[in-house]
Amino acid sequence: MTNIKHKVENNKIRIPIAWRHVIILVIGILLYGRTTNYDFIGLDDVDLIVRNYSFNKDISNINKVFLQDVFKIEGDLDQNKDYYRPLYIFSFMFDAIVSGSHSPKWYRFMNIMFHIFAAILVFKFFLILNINQIISFLFSLVFLIHPALNIVVGWIPGRNDSLLLIFILLSLINYIKYLGDSKKSRYLILHVVFFCLALFTKENAVFIPILTAYFLLTNQEGPINIRILSFKYSKLLILYFIIVLLWYYLRSLVLEGTTNKLTISSLIENTLSNWPSFSQYIGKMLFPFGLSVLPDKNESNYIWAVLVLGLISLGIYYSKRELILTGRWKIVLLGVVWLILFLVPSLSATFFAGLEHRLYVPLVGFYIVVAEMKWFKNYNFSDYKLSIGIFSYLILFAFITVNRLPAFSNRFDFYKSALNSSNHSILTYLNLGKHYEEIKEYDKAIEVYKKGLQKDSMQMMLHNNIGGCYLKKKMFNEAEIEFNRELINHPHNVFSIFALGLIYKERGQIKKAINQYKKALEINNNFIYAYQELYLYYQSIGMNDSAQYFLNEVNKRKK
C-alpha cells in the first residue's frame, strides 16, 4: 500500500524541514524553559532522584538497573515492588552522572528536551505516513503545547511517557523505512533495537508488534497472501518473542514478592472501575478543560467526550468517500488501533487512575485520525478560516499551558492545585498531609487528613496517618484511638497493626507488642519493619538464635 510509504517529496513546503525542527525546539524552550527553576513536587521525584542519588551517580551500577524495580532505594526497607522499567531508571542515572548533582534544574531541563524531541518525532512520523506537511507540522506544535501533557514536562517522573513515545516512534519509523526498502537491513535492526529500548522503558511497548503486523498487512499491493506475509514476518516474530521472553523473565525475577501483584482478574477489575477516566481522556484530547494534576474518576464530565466522539464520527462520515477512494481509511484505522492499544491499558492502573501523562502516547493516534479528515487533508495557509481556527487553537493551548505550569513549581503548589481542581481526590489529602509530616508540621498534617475524612470517612490510611502524627508527638492515647479506627474499617492494614505494637512497646507492654508484630507478618510476610522489631526484641533478651533468624529475614528483604 503506497499510503504508508515515505513520500515526503510529494508534499512541497516552503520552509525546510530542518527549520521546522528548530521552530519546535525554540517554542518548546520558550514555553517550558522556566520550569528549570522549579523545585521537586514530592510525588516520586524525591525518591527517584534525591534519596537514590548515591546509587544513580555511580556509573558501575548501570548493570544493576536491569535487576531492580523502579523504586528500589539503597537502605530503604520498603518492599512495594510496583514497576520494572530499567531504562527509566537509567535516565536518572545519566542525569546524575552528567550533572553531578541531585538539584532539580538539570533533570527538569532534560524533561523539556525529551518532550521537544518527541514532538519532532511526531512531525517526522506524520510525514512518513504521508500526512499533509503543514498539518503534520501544526499538529506536532499542538502536541508540544497541549495543556494535558504539561505533567510530562512539569513532573520529572513523567518523562517515562516521553521516553516511551520516543522509542516507539523511532522503532516504527525504521520499520516503515524497511518496508519501503527491504534490502536495507539496517532499518530492521534499528527497529528491533528501539523496540527493545521501548519495552525496557515501559511495559506498554509490548503492543508494538501489533502495529508492525498492521503496517505489513496494509503495505501490500493487490490481494493479501497470508502465506507470504507469514514467512516475511516469522523471523521478526521470533526476535520479538526472544526480547519479550527475556524482558518477562527479568521482570518476574525483579518483582517477585511484590505486595501489589497484579492478576488478570485484578487488571479487568481495575479497568472496569476506572472506566469513567476513559471519558476524561477522550474529552481532554480535543478540549483540555477541567485539567487536574491529580484527577479523580468520580468527577468525569461526559459532555466533552461525547462532543469529541461526535465530531470525529461526523468527520469520518463526511470524509468517507475520499478515504475509501484513496485508501487512506487504513491510516484512520491505524490511528484508532493506536489509540485503543495505548489508552485502554492505562485504565488498569491501581493507583492515581486518570493521570494525564497517560494521554501522551495515545494522543498520537488521535491526531492521526483527525489529520485524515477532509478539512485537513489538503489544507494550506490560503484557507483563511481554517487557518484562523488552528492558530487560535494553538494560542489558547499556549495560554492554558503558561498559566498551568506554576502548579508544578513545588510540593505545596502542586497539591493545592490538586485540591482546587479535583475536590474528590482523597489521595491528594493523603499526599499533602505527608508533606506536612516531612517538615514536622504535624498539626497541619492532621488538619489535612481530617478534611480528607470529611470527604470519605472510609478512605484507607487517613486514620492511620493521623495516628502516625500523634505517635510522633508522643500522644500515645490519641494515636491508639486512630489506629483502632483504621482497623475497624480496614482490619488488614499492617501499618496500623504494627504501629499499635510500637505504642505497646513504649508503654512496656512487650508481649502485646510482639503479638502485634507477628500479626502483621501473618498478613504480609514481607513487612520488613516487623522483622526488624522482632530482631531487636529477641536480641535484647539474649535469644540469639531467634534474633539471628529475624535479622536474616531483614537482610533477605533488603536485597
Side-chain angles (χ1 to χ4, degrees), residues 514-552:
I514 297 304
N515 288 335
Q516 290 299 120
Y517 303 148
K518 290 181 177 180
K519 185 177 178 181
L521 291 175
E522 287 174 5
I523 296 171
N524 179 0
N525 65 1
N526 282 309
F527 195 73
I528 196 169
Y529 301 104
Y531 285 114
Q532 196 171 47
E533 285 296 325
L534 288 168
Y535 157 69
L536 293 173
Y537 166 70
Y538 285 112
Q539 185 188 49
S540 69
I541 61 174
M543 294 181 64
N544 296 329
D545 290 342
S546 295
Q548 187 61 49
Y549 167 78
F550 287 109
L551 179 60
N552 291 340

Side-chain angles (χ1 to χ4, degrees), residues 343-361:
L343 182 59
V344 173
S346 68
L347 301 177
S348 66
T350 303
F351 306 109
F352 294 113
L355 282 179
E356 290 156 2
H357 70 88
R358 296 182 183 126
L359 261 180
Y360 201 83
V361 177

Side-chain angles (χ1 to χ4, degrees), residues 2-36:
T2 57
N3 301 316
I4 293 180
K5 290 181 181 178
H6 193 179
K7 284 188 166 185
V8 175
E9 67 274 13
N10 292 337
N11 294 320
K12 300 299 180 183
I13 190 167
R14 294 180 181 178
I15 303 175
I17 298 294
W19 278 107
R20 297 203 166 204
H21 294 169
V22 172
I23 292 172
I24 293 172
L25 174 66
V26 171
I27 291 176
I29 291 175
L30 289 175
L31 195 62
Y32 297 108
R34 62 177 170 154
T35 64
T36 58

